[in-house]
Amino acid sequence: MPRAVESVAAPAPSQQFSQHTSTEAYQQQQSTAQHATEQQTTQQQSTLNGATPSKLVSKYGDGFVTSSSHPELGEQYGNVGTSNPYGGARSGIAAVNSTPAKPPISGNLDPNQPPALSAEYQPISDGLLPFVTYLSSVVTGAKEKKEMVEIEKGVAILLKKLARGDIDSEIAPKVMTMVTAMQNRDYGSAAAIQKALVNSDWKEHKDWLRGIKFLIQFASKRII
C-alpha cells in the first residue's frame, strides 16, 4: 500500500512574529555591547596617549622624567635603590682635609745654630751636639762618612721635631735618658733604649732613629 504523506502544519503567524522579535532584540543587545566596548577602549587609549604624559609634563616641567631626579618615581615603578647611586654626596665637590699638613723637616744640621728648644728638652741638644762635632772630625773611610751623613741627619730631625712639638711626651723622656747614658759612656743602655723605640715607634720616628743608632755605634768605637 502506498505510505500516507504526513502533512506538516505551518507555524502560526504569532509564533513567527515572536521568534523574529527575539532575534532583533538579541542582535540589538550585541551591537550595544560592542559599541560600549569600543568606546571604553577608545577612552583608555586616549588616557595612555594624552592624559598621562601631560600630567608628568605639567608636574616636572618637561617630558623627560627619570627616577634619578625624582625618587618618588623610583618607588612607584619598582626601581628603588638604583635611582641615586651616589647616596647623599654632591657631585663635583671633593672632600678637603681642613687640617694643613706640616712641611717636611730638613735633615741639614748646623751645630753652631741648633733649633731652639724649651728648657725641658735643651739638655738633649746639649748632649748630642758635642758627639756630632767630635765624630765628624775623626771620621775616616767611605763607610764612616756615609754613616756620619745619617748621624747628622738623624740628630737634625730629632732636634727639629722636639722644637715644633712632634715628639710625644712619652718618648721625649726616653730620649733624655738615652742621651744621659751616652754622656756616661754607657753605650749598652743607650743602644737598648734606641732599640726599644724602634720596636714601638719606628713608623713615626724612623727618620731620626736610624741616625741615632749609627751615632751610638760610632761613639762606642771612638769615644771611650
Side-chain angles (χ1 to χ4, degrees):
M1 292 180 63
R3 182 178 298 180
V5 179
E6 296 180 358
S7 60
V8 180
S14 60
Q15 184 178 1
Q16 292 179 352
F17 178 78
S18 177
Q19 292 177 349
H20 180 72
T21 302
S22 299
T23 301
E24 290 182 351
Y26 173 77
Q27 293 177 349
Q28 184 175 3
Q29 291 177 356
Q30 292 294 323
S31 176
T32 301
Q34 182 177 358
H35 179 71
T37 301
E38 292 176 353
Q39 184 176 6
Q40 183 178 3
T41 301
T42 302
Q43 292 176 351
Q44 292 176 350
Q45 187 67 28
S46 175
T47 300
L48 292 174
N49 293 337
T52 301
S54 63
K55 290 181 180 179
L56 289 175
V57 171
S58 62
K59 182 176 182 180
Y60 297 111
D62 56 29
F64 184 75
V65 183
T66 67
S67 59
S68 175
S69 57
H70 301 287
E72 67 275 12
L73 296 181
E75 296 178 359
Q76 179 179 353
Y77 294 106
N79 58 346
V80 178
T82 61
S83 59
N84 190 359
Y86 300 101
R90 296 178 60 188
S91 60
I93 301 179
V96 179
N97 187 1
S98 59
T99 304
K102 291 184 177 181
I105 298 178
S106 169
N108 297 327
L109 177 64
D110 183 359
N112 298 321
Q113 293 182 342
L117 301 181
S118 64
E120 181 182 5
Y121 298 144
Q122 187 61 42
I124 296 177
S125 178
D126 294 341
L128 290 176
L129 290 178
F131 280 95
V132 175
T133 302
Y134 175 77
L135 292 174
S136 63
S137 65
V138 298
V139 65
T140 58
K143 183 176 182 297
E144 288 186 352
K145 289 180 179 179
K146 184 177 181 181
E147 290 178 351
M148 197 64 217
V149 171
E150 290 294 332
I151 290 172
E152 292 179 350
K153 176 182 176 182
V155 172
I157 293 176
L158 172 60
L159 297 181
K160 290 176 182 180
K161 278 193 169 183
L162 284 169
R164 71 181 194 180
D166 289 346
I167 302 296
D168 191 272
S169 59
E170 295 182 358
I171 298 177
K174 297 178 182 179
V175 175
M176 182 83 71
T177 303
M178 179 185 67
V179 173
T180 301
M182 292 179 63
Q183 289 175 315
N184 294 332
R185 307 301 187 261
D186 185 1
Y187 299 115
S189 295
I193 295 173
Q194 189 273 345
K195 184 177 181 180
L197 290 172
V198 167
N199 293 335
S200 61
D201 300 282
W202 174 257
K203 183 177 181 180
E204 294 182 0
H205 299 293
K206 60 184 177 181
D207 48 1
W208 59 267
L209 281 171
R210 177 179 172 84
I212 296 299
K213 177 182 177 181
F214 289 134
L215 174 61
I216 297 171
Q217 292 176 344
F218 200 180
S220 67
K221 298 176 183 178
R222 295 299 183 93
I223 305 176
I224 300 176

PDB file of all heavy atoms in Angstrom, residues 31-66:
ATOM      1  N   SER A  31      24.998  44.549  19.519  1.00  0.00           N
ATOM      2  CA  SER A  31      25.525  45.761  18.911  1.00  0.00           C
ATOM      3  C   SER A  31      25.813  46.824  19.959  1.00  0.00           C
ATOM      4  O   SER A  31      26.832  47.509  19.922  1.00  0.00           O
ATOM      5  CB  SER A  31      24.536  46.292  17.872  1.00  0.00           C
ATOM      6  OG  SER A  31      24.996  47.515  17.329  1.00  0.00           O
ATOM      7  N   THR A  32      24.890  46.942  20.939  1.00  0.00           N
ATOM      8  CA  THR A  32      25.073  47.927  22.016  1.00  0.00           C
ATOM      9  C   THR A  32      26.295  47.605  22.856  1.00  0.00           C
ATOM     10  O   THR A  32      27.092  48.467  23.206  1.00  0.00           O
ATOM     11  CB  THR A  32      23.814  47.978  22.897  1.00  0.00           C
ATOM     12  OG1 THR A  32      22.684  48.323  22.084  1.00  0.00           O
ATOM     13  CG2 THR A  32      23.994  49.031  24.010  1.00  0.00           C
ATOM     14  N   ALA A  33      26.456  46.313  23.175  1.00  0.00           N
ATOM     15  CA  ALA A  33      27.604  45.885  23.991  1.00  0.00           C
ATOM     16  C   ALA A  33      28.903  46.111  23.253  1.00  0.00           C
ATOM     17  O   ALA A  33      29.904  46.555  23.834  1.00  0.00           O
ATOM     18  CB  ALA A  33      27.454  44.405  24.359  1.00  0.00           C
ATOM     19  N   GLN A  34      28.940  45.810  21.954  1.00  0.00           N
ATOM     20  CA  GLN A  34      30.152  46.015  21.169  1.00  0.00           C
ATOM     21  C   GLN A  34      30.506  47.490  21.095  1.00  0.00           C
ATOM     22  O   GLN A  34      31.667  47.885  21.193  1.00  0.00           O
ATOM     23  CB  GLN A  34      29.952  45.442  19.766  1.00  0.00           C
ATOM     24  CG  GLN A  34      31.210  45.563  18.884  1.00  0.00           C
ATOM     25  CD  GLN A  34      31.008  44.918  17.515  1.00  0.00           C
ATOM     26  OE1 GLN A  34      29.940  44.363  17.257  1.00  0.00           O
ATOM     27  NE2 GLN A  34      32.021  44.995  16.702  1.00  0.00           N
ATOM     28  N   HIS A  35      29.477  48.337  20.944  1.00  0.00           N
ATOM     29  CA  HIS A  35      29.716  49.779  20.869  1.00  0.00           C
ATOM     30  C   HIS A  35      30.296  50.303  22.185  1.00  0.00           C
ATOM     31  O   HIS A  35      31.215  51.126  22.196  1.00  0.00           O
ATOM     32  CB  HIS A  35      28.408  50.492  20.530  1.00  0.00           C
ATOM     33  CG  HIS A  35      28.553  51.995  20.459  1.00  0.00           C
ATOM     34  ND1 HIS A  35      29.232  52.640  19.429  1.00  0.00           N
ATOM     35  CD2 HIS A  35      28.108  52.968  21.301  1.00  0.00           C
ATOM     36  CE1 HIS A  35      29.200  53.943  19.642  1.00  0.00           C
ATOM     37  NE2 HIS A  35      28.521  54.172  20.778  1.00  0.00           N
ATOM     38  N   ALA A  36      29.764  49.793  23.268  1.00  0.00           N
ATOM     39  CA  ALA A  36      30.251  50.225  24.591  1.00  0.00           C
ATOM     40  C   ALA A  36      31.693  49.803  24.800  1.00  0.00           C
ATOM     41  O   ALA A  36      32.508  50.546  25.353  1.00  0.00           O
ATOM     42  CB  ALA A  36      29.351  49.645  25.690  1.00  0.00           C
ATOM     43  N   THR A  37      32.016  48.588  24.347  1.00  0.00           N
ATOM     44  CA  THR A  37      33.401  48.098  24.487  1.00  0.00           C
ATOM     45  C   THR A  37      34.361  48.940  23.673  1.00  0.00           C
ATOM     46  O   THR A  37      35.453  49.308  24.124  1.00  0.00           O
ATOM     47  CB  THR A  37      33.487  46.639  24.041  1.00  0.00           C
ATOM     48  OG1 THR A  37      32.606  45.847  24.851  1.00  0.00           O
ATOM     49  CG2 THR A  37      34.913  46.113  24.196  1.00  0.00           C
ATOM     50  N   GLU A  38      33.984  49.256  22.424  1.00  0.00           N
ATOM     51  CA  GLU A  38      34.829  50.081  21.578  1.00  0.00           C
ATOM     52  C   GLU A  38      35.008  51.470  22.181  1.00  0.00           C
ATOM     53  O   GLU A  38      36.101  52.048  22.139  1.00  0.00           O
ATOM     54  CB  GLU A  38      34.219  50.196  20.180  1.00  0.00           C
ATOM     55  CG  GLU A  38      34.232  48.876  19.409  1.00  0.00           C
ATOM     56  CD  GLU A  38      33.540  49.000  18.064  1.00  0.00           C
ATOM     57  OE1 GLU A  38      32.951  50.082  17.811  1.00  0.00           O
ATOM     58  OE2 GLU A  38      33.605  48.042  17.272  1.00  0.00           O
ATOM     59  N   GLN A  39      33.958  52.022  22.758  1.00  0.00           N
ATOM     60  CA  GLN A  39      34.049  53.355  23.355  1.00  0.00           C
ATOM     61  C   GLN A  39      34.988  53.351  24.563  1.00  0.00           C
ATOM     62  O   GLN A  39      35.792  54.261  24.759  1.00  0.00           O
ATOM     63  CB  GLN A  39      32.653  53.830  23.767  1.00  0.00           C
ATOM     64  CG  GLN A  39      32.638  55.282  24.313  1.00  0.00           C
ATOM     65  CD  GLN A  39      31.221  55.739  24.625  1.00  0.00           C
ATOM     66  OE1 GLN A  39      30.292  54.955  24.539  1.00  0.00           O
ATOM     67  NE2 GLN A  39      31.079  56.998  24.972  1.00  0.00           N
ATOM     68  N   GLN A  40      34.902  52.281  25.395  1.00  0.00           N
ATOM     69  CA  GLN A  40      35.779  52.171  26.562  1.00  0.00           C
ATOM     70  C   GLN A  40      37.237  52.038  26.139  1.00  0.00           C
ATOM     71  O   GLN A  40      38.125  52.641  26.732  1.00  0.00           O
ATOM     72  CB  GLN A  40      35.366  50.963  27.411  1.00  0.00           C
ATOM     73  CG  GLN A  40      36.178  50.815  28.692  1.00  0.00           C
ATOM     74  CD  GLN A  40      35.707  49.652  29.517  1.00  0.00           C
ATOM     75  OE1 GLN A  40      34.805  48.923  29.099  1.00  0.00           O
ATOM     76  NE2 GLN A  40      36.298  49.471  30.687  1.00  0.00           N
ATOM     77  N   THR A  41      37.472  51.229  25.084  1.00  0.00           N
ATOM     78  CA  THR A  41      38.846  51.051  24.595  1.00  0.00           C
ATOM     79  C   THR A  41      39.415  52.363  24.076  1.00  0.00           C
ATOM     80  O   THR A  41      40.581  52.706  24.299  1.00  0.00           O
ATOM     81  CB  THR A  41      38.870  50.001  23.475  1.00  0.00           C
ATOM     82  OG1 THR A  41      38.352  48.760  23.990  1.00  0.00           O
ATOM     83  CG2 THR A  41      40.288  49.789  22.965  1.00  0.00           C
ATOM     84  N   THR A  42      38.567  53.126  23.381  1.00  0.00           N
ATOM     85  CA  THR A  42      38.998  54.423  22.853  1.00  0.00           C
ATOM     86  C   THR A  42      39.371  55.382  23.968  1.00  0.00           C
ATOM     87  O   THR A  42      40.363  56.114  23.905  1.00  0.00           O
ATOM     88  CB  THR A  42      37.895  55.041  21.981  1.00  0.00           C
ATOM     89  OG1 THR A  42      37.581  54.129  20.915  1.00  0.00           O
ATOM     90  CG2 THR A  42      38.352  56.378  21.408  1.00  0.00           C
ATOM     91  N   GLN A  43      38.583  55.364  25.056  1.00  0.00           N
ATOM     92  CA  GLN A  43      38.874  56.240  26.190  1.00  0.00           C
ATOM     93  C   GLN A  43      40.181  55.859  26.872  1.00  0.00           C
ATOM     94  O   GLN A  43      40.972  56.719  27.248  1.00  0.00           O
ATOM     95  CB  GLN A  43      37.715  56.181  27.196  1.00  0.00           C
ATOM     96  CG  GLN A  43      36.420  56.802  26.684  1.00  0.00           C
ATOM     97  CD  GLN A  43      35.273  56.644  27.676  1.00  0.00           C
ATOM     98  OE1 GLN A  43      35.431  55.920  28.663  1.00  0.00           O
ATOM     99  NE2 GLN A  43      34.155  57.300  27.415  1.00  0.00           N
ATOM    100  N   GLN A  44      40.428  54.540  27.037  1.00  0.00           N
ATOM    101  CA  GLN A  44      41.676  54.089  27.659  1.00  0.00           C
ATOM    102  C   GLN A  44      42.883  54.476  26.822  1.00  0.00           C
ATOM    103  O   GLN A  44      43.909  54.917  27.331  1.00  0.00           O
ATOM    104  CB  GLN A  44      41.654  52.571  27.863  1.00  0.00           C
ATOM    105  CG  GLN A  44      40.633  52.120  28.915  1.00  0.00           C
ATOM    106  CD  GLN A  44      40.561  50.602  29.024  1.00  0.00           C
ATOM    107  OE1 GLN A  44      41.128  49.901  28.190  1.00  0.00           O
ATOM    108  NE2 GLN A  44      39.869  50.105  30.040  1.00  0.00           N
ATOM    109  N   GLN A  45      42.762  54.283  25.493  1.00  0.00           N
ATOM    110  CA  GLN A  45      43.865  54.635  24.597  1.00  0.00           C
ATOM    111  C   GLN A  45      44.150  56.129  24.653  1.00  0.00           C
ATOM    112  O   GLN A  45      45.296  56.571  24.628  1.00  0.00           O
ATOM    113  CB  GLN A  45      43.519  54.214  23.165  1.00  0.00           C
ATOM    114  CG  GLN A  45      44.673  54.398  22.193  1.00  0.00           C
ATOM    115  CD  GLN A  45      45.814  53.467  22.503  1.00  0.00           C
ATOM    116  OE1 GLN A  45      45.596  52.391  23.054  1.00  0.00           O
ATOM    117  NE2 GLN A  45      47.036  53.872  22.178  1.00  0.00           N
ATOM    118  N   SER A  46      43.071  56.920  24.754  1.00  0.00           N
ATOM    119  CA  SER A  46      43.233  58.363  24.843  1.00  0.00           C
ATOM    120  C   SER A  46      43.945  58.755  26.126  1.00  0.00           C
ATOM    121  O   SER A  46      44.782  59.654  26.147  1.00  0.00           O
ATOM    122  CB  SER A  46      41.859  59.041  24.763  1.00  0.00           C
ATOM    123  OG  SER A  46      41.994  60.434  24.963  1.00  0.00           O
ATOM    124  N   THR A  47      43.625  58.040  27.223  1.00  0.00           N
ATOM    125  CA  THR A  47      44.286  58.326  28.515  1.00  0.00           C
ATOM    126  C   THR A  47      45.766  58.032  28.447  1.00  0.00           C
ATOM    127  O   THR A  47      46.611  58.795  28.915  1.00  0.00           O
ATOM    128  CB  THR A  47      43.639  57.494  29.636  1.00  0.00           C
ATOM    129  OG1 THR A  47      42.265  57.823  29.719  1.00  0.00           O
ATOM    130  CG2 THR A  47      44.331  57.779  30.973  1.00  0.00           C
ATOM    131  N   LEU A  48      46.111  56.890  27.819  1.00  0.00           N
ATOM    132  CA  LEU A  48      47.518  56.497  27.719  1.00  0.00           C
ATOM    133  C   LEU A  48      48.301  57.440  26.831  1.00  0.00           C
ATOM    134  O   LEU A  48      49.451  57.778  27.114  1.00  0.00           O
ATOM    135  CB  LEU A  48      47.641  55.060  27.188  1.00  0.00           C
ATOM    136  CG  LEU A  48      47.145  53.960  28.124  1.00  0.00           C
ATOM    137  CD1 LEU A  48      47.199  52.623  27.422  1.00  0.00           C
ATOM    138  CD2 LEU A  48      47.981  53.930  29.392  1.00  0.00           C
ATOM    139  N   ASN A  49      47.696  57.855  25.730  1.00  0.00           N
ATOM    140  CA  ASN A  49      48.409  58.656  24.736  1.00  0.00           C
ATOM    141  C   ASN A  49      48.453  60.130  25.094  1.00  0.00           C
ATOM    142  O   ASN A  49      49.357  60.833  24.698  1.00  0.00           O
ATOM    143  CB  ASN A  49      47.766  58.510  23.359  1.00  0.00           C
ATOM    144  CG  ASN A  49      47.939  57.092  22.807  1.00  0.00           C
ATOM    145  OD1 ASN A  49      48.853  56.391  23.215  1.00  0.00           O
ATOM    146  ND2 ASN A  49      47.068  56.690  21.900  1.00  0.00           N
ATOM    147  N   GLY A  50      47.481  60.588  25.843  1.00  0.00           N
ATOM    148  CA  GLY A  50      47.409  62.019  26.071  1.00  0.00           C
ATOM    149  C   GLY A  50      47.464  62.446  27.508  1.00  0.00           C
ATOM    150  O   GLY A  50      48.252  63.295  27.893  1.00  0.00           O
ATOM    151  N   ALA A  51      46.679  61.804  28.343  1.00  0.00           N
ATOM    152  CA  ALA A  51      46.500  62.317  29.692  1.00  0.00           C
ATOM    153  C   ALA A  51      47.730  62.126  30.562  1.00  0.00           C
ATOM    154  O   ALA A  51      48.169  63.049  31.230  1.00  0.00           O
ATOM    155  CB  ALA A  51      45.293  61.637  30.352  1.00  0.00           C
ATOM    156  N   THR A  52      48.328  60.938  30.571  1.00  0.00           N
ATOM    157  CA  THR A  52      49.445  60.649  31.480  1.00  0.00           C
ATOM    158  C   THR A  52      50.670  61.497  31.196  1.00  0.00           C
ATOM    159  O   THR A  52      51.223  62.111  32.096  1.00  0.00           O
ATOM    160  CB  THR A  52      49.797  59.164  31.424  1.00  0.00           C
ATOM    161  OG1 THR A  52      48.648  58.401  31.789  1.00  0.00           O
ATOM    162  CG2 THR A  52      50.947  58.846  32.371  1.00  0.00           C
ATOM    163  N   PRO A  53      51.152  61.558  29.924  1.00  0.00           N
ATOM    164  CA  PRO A  53      52.310  62.422  29.645  1.00  0.00           C
ATOM    165  C   PRO A  53      52.060  63.873  29.988  1.00  0.00           C
ATOM    166  O   PRO A  53      52.941  64.555  30.466  1.00  0.00           O
ATOM    167  CB  PRO A  53      52.565  62.230  28.148  1.00  0.00           C
ATOM    168  CG  PRO A  53      51.987  60.869  27.850  1.00  0.00           C
ATOM    169  CD  PRO A  53      50.778  60.773  28.722  1.00  0.00           C
ATOM    170  N   SER A  54      50.831  64.351  29.732  1.00  0.00           N
ATOM    171  CA  SER A  54      50.566  65.748  30.009  1.00  0.00           C
ATOM    172  C   SER A  54      50.644  66.035  31.495  1.00  0.00           C
ATOM    173  O   SER A  54      51.096  67.096  31.913  1.00  0.00           O
ATOM    174  CB  SER A  54      49.173  66.133  29.464  1.00  0.00           C
ATOM    175  OG  SER A  54      48.158  65.377  30.135  1.00  0.00           O
ATOM    176  N   LYS A  55      50.207  65.051  32.327  1.00  0.00           N
ATOM    177  CA  LYS A  55      50.311  65.254  33.776  1.00  0.00           C
ATOM    178  C   LYS A  55      51.761  65.294  34.213  1.00  0.00           C
ATOM    179  O   LYS A  55      52.147  66.111  35.041  1.00  0.00           O
ATOM    180  CB  LYS A  55      49.566  64.141  34.511  1.00  0.00           C
ATOM    181  CG  LYS A  55      48.056  64.214  34.358  1.00  0.00           C
ATOM    182  CD  LYS A  55      47.369  63.091  35.123  1.00  0.00           C
ATOM    183  CE  LYS A  55      45.856  63.166  34.984  1.00  0.00           C
ATOM    184  NZ  LYS A  55      45.176  62.068  35.706  1.00  0.00           N
ATOM    185  N   LEU A  56      52.586  64.400  33.646  1.00  0.00           N
ATOM    186  CA  LEU A  56      54.002  64.377  34.017  1.00  0.00           C
ATOM    187  C   LEU A  56      54.689  65.648  33.569  1.00  0.00           C
ATOM    188  O   LEU A  56      55.516  66.207  34.282  1.00  0.00           O
ATOM    189  CB  LEU A  56      54.697  63.160  33.406  1.00  0.00           C
ATOM    190  CG  LEU A  56      54.321  61.812  34.010  1.00  0.00           C
ATOM    191  CD1 LEU A  56      55.003  60.696  33.223  1.00  0.00           C
ATOM    192  CD2 LEU A  56      54.721  61.749  35.471  1.00  0.00           C
ATOM    193  N   VAL A  57      54.344  66.119  32.354  1.00  0.00           N
ATOM    194  CA  VAL A  57      54.956  67.335  31.844  1.00  0.00           C
ATOM    195  C   VAL A  57      54.588  68.521  32.709  1.00  0.00           C
ATOM    196  O   VAL A  57      55.424  69.341  33.068  1.00  0.00           O
ATOM    197  CB  VAL A  57      54.548  67.572  30.375  1.00  0.00           C
ATOM    198  CG1 VAL A  57      55.003  68.957  29.919  1.00  0.00           C
ATOM    199  CG2 VAL A  57      55.151  66.500  29.491  1.00  0.00           C
ATOM    200  N   SER A  58      53.312  68.609  33.088  1.00  0.00           N
ATOM    201  CA  SER A  58      52.885  69.738  33.893  1.00  0.00           C
ATOM    202  C   SER A  58      53.485  69.691  35.284  1.00  0.00           C
ATOM    203  O   SER A  58      53.730  70.706  35.906  1.00  0.00           O
ATOM    204  CB  SER A  58      51.354  69.754  33.995  1.00  0.00           C
ATOM    205  OG  SER A  58      50.902  68.571  34.650  1.00  0.00           O
ATOM    206  N   LYS A  59      53.781  68.497  35.796  1.00  0.00           N
ATOM    207  CA  LYS A  59      54.317  68.363  37.152  1.00  0.00           C
ATOM    208  C   LYS A  59      55.812  68.604  37.192  1.00  0.00           C
ATOM    209  O   LYS A  59      56.330  69.249  38.098  1.00  0.00           O
ATOM    210  CB  LYS A  59      53.995  66.976  37.709  1.00  0.00           C
ATOM    211  CG  LYS A  59      54.480  66.784  39.142  1.00  0.00           C
ATOM    212  CD  LYS A  59      54.043  65.441  39.657  1.00  0.00           C
ATOM    213  CE  LYS A  59      54.492  65.249  41.111  1.00  0.00           C
ATOM    214  NZ  LYS A  59      54.076  63.952  41.648  1.00  0.00           N
ATOM    215  N   TYR A  60      56.565  68.113  36.200  1.00  0.00           N
ATOM    216  CA  TYR A  60      58.019  68.176  36.250  1.00  0.00           C
ATOM    217  C   TYR A  60      58.625  69.143  35.244  1.00  0.00           C
ATOM    218  O   TYR A  60      59.830  69.304  35.203  1.00  0.00           O
ATOM    219  CB  TYR A  60      58.613  66.777  36.042  1.00  0.00           C
ATOM    220  CG  TYR A  60      58.213  65.832  37.132  1.00  0.00           C
ATOM    221  CD1 TYR A  60      57.349  64.763  36.876  1.00  0.00           C
ATOM    222  CD2 TYR A  60      58.678  66.012  38.425  1.00  0.00           C
ATOM    223  CE1 TYR A  60      56.973  63.901  37.896  1.00  0.00           C
ATOM    224  CE2 TYR A  60      58.305  65.143  39.442  1.00  0.00           C
ATOM    225  CZ  TYR A  60      57.457  64.096  39.168  1.00  0.00           C
ATOM    226  OH  TYR A  60      57.098  63.237  40.162  1.00  0.00           O
ATOM    227  N   GLY A  61      57.803  69.715  34.384  1.00  0.00           N
ATOM    228  CA  GLY A  61      58.299  70.777  33.522  1.00  0.00           C
ATOM    229  C   GLY A  61      58.729  70.336  32.147  1.00  0.00           C
ATOM    230  O   GLY A  61      58.878  71.142  31.268  1.00  0.00           O
ATOM    231  N   ASP A  62      58.968  69.053  31.919  1.00  0.00           N
ATOM    232  CA  ASP A  62      59.322  68.579  30.587  1.00  0.00           C
ATOM    233  C   ASP A  62      58.896  67.136  30.458  1.00  0.00           C
ATOM    234  O   ASP A  62      58.365  66.534  31.381  1.00  0.00           O
ATOM    235  CB  ASP A  62      60.828  68.743  30.308  1.00  0.00           C
ATOM    236  CG  ASP A  62      61.667  68.033  31.358  1.00  0.00           C
ATOM    237  OD1 ASP A  62      61.191  67.023  31.914  1.00  0.00           O
ATOM    238  OD2 ASP A  62      62.792  68.484  31.597  1.00  0.00           O
ATOM    239  N   GLY A  63      59.145  66.561  29.299  1.00  0.00           N
ATOM    240  CA  GLY A  63      58.690  65.196  29.044  1.00  0.00           C
ATOM    241  C   GLY A  63      59.702  64.139  29.401  1.00  0.00           C
ATOM    242  O   GLY A  63      59.440  62.966  29.241  1.00  0.00           O
ATOM    243  N   PHE A  64      60.890  64.540  29.869  1.00  0.00           N
ATOM    244  CA  PHE A  64      61.949  63.560  30.196  1.00  0.00           C
ATOM    245  C   PHE A  64      62.046  63.464  31.710  1.00  0.00           C
ATOM    246  O   PHE A  64      62.542  64.372  32.370  1.00  0.00           O
ATOM    247  CB  PHE A  64      63.272  64.007  29.597  1.00  0.00           C
ATOM    248  CG  PHE A  64      64.373  63.004  29.805  1.00  0.00           C
ATOM    249  CD1 PHE A  64      64.412  61.844  29.049  1.00  0.00           C
ATOM    250  CD2 PHE A  64      65.346  63.206  30.769  1.00  0.00           C
ATOM    251  CE1 PHE A  64      65.415  60.923  29.239  1.00  0.00           C
ATOM    252  CE2 PHE A  64      66.343  62.288  30.961  1.00  0.00           C
ATOM    253  CZ  PHE A  64      66.373  61.141  30.196  1.00  0.00           C
ATOM    254  N   VAL A  65      61.549  62.394  32.252  1.00  0.00           N
ATOM    255  CA  VAL A  65      61.472  62.216  33.699  1.00  0.00           C
ATOM    256  C   VAL A  65      62.231  60.968  34.080  1.00  0.00           C
ATOM    257  O   VAL A  65      62.015  59.904  33.501  1.00  0.00           O
ATOM    258  CB  VAL A  65      60.002  62.102  34.170  1.00  0.00           C
ATOM    259  CG1 VAL A  65      59.951  62.002  35.686  1.00  0.00           C
ATOM    260  CG2 VAL A  65      59.205  63.302  33.682  1.00  0.00           C
ATOM    261  N   THR A  66      63.136  61.074  35.007  1.00  0.00           N
ATOM    262  CA  THR A  66      63.907  59.919  35.467  1.00  0.00           C
ATOM    263  C   THR A  66      63.749  59.758  36.960  1.00  0.00           C
ATOM    264  O   THR A  66      63.474  60.720  37.688  1.00  0.00           O
ATOM    265  CB  THR A  66      65.398  60.088  35.142  1.00  0.00           C
ATOM    266  OG1 THR A  66      65.916  61.156  35.923  1.00  0.00           O
ATOM    267  CG2 THR A  66      65.617  60.357  33.667  1.00  0.00           C
TER     268      THR A  66
END
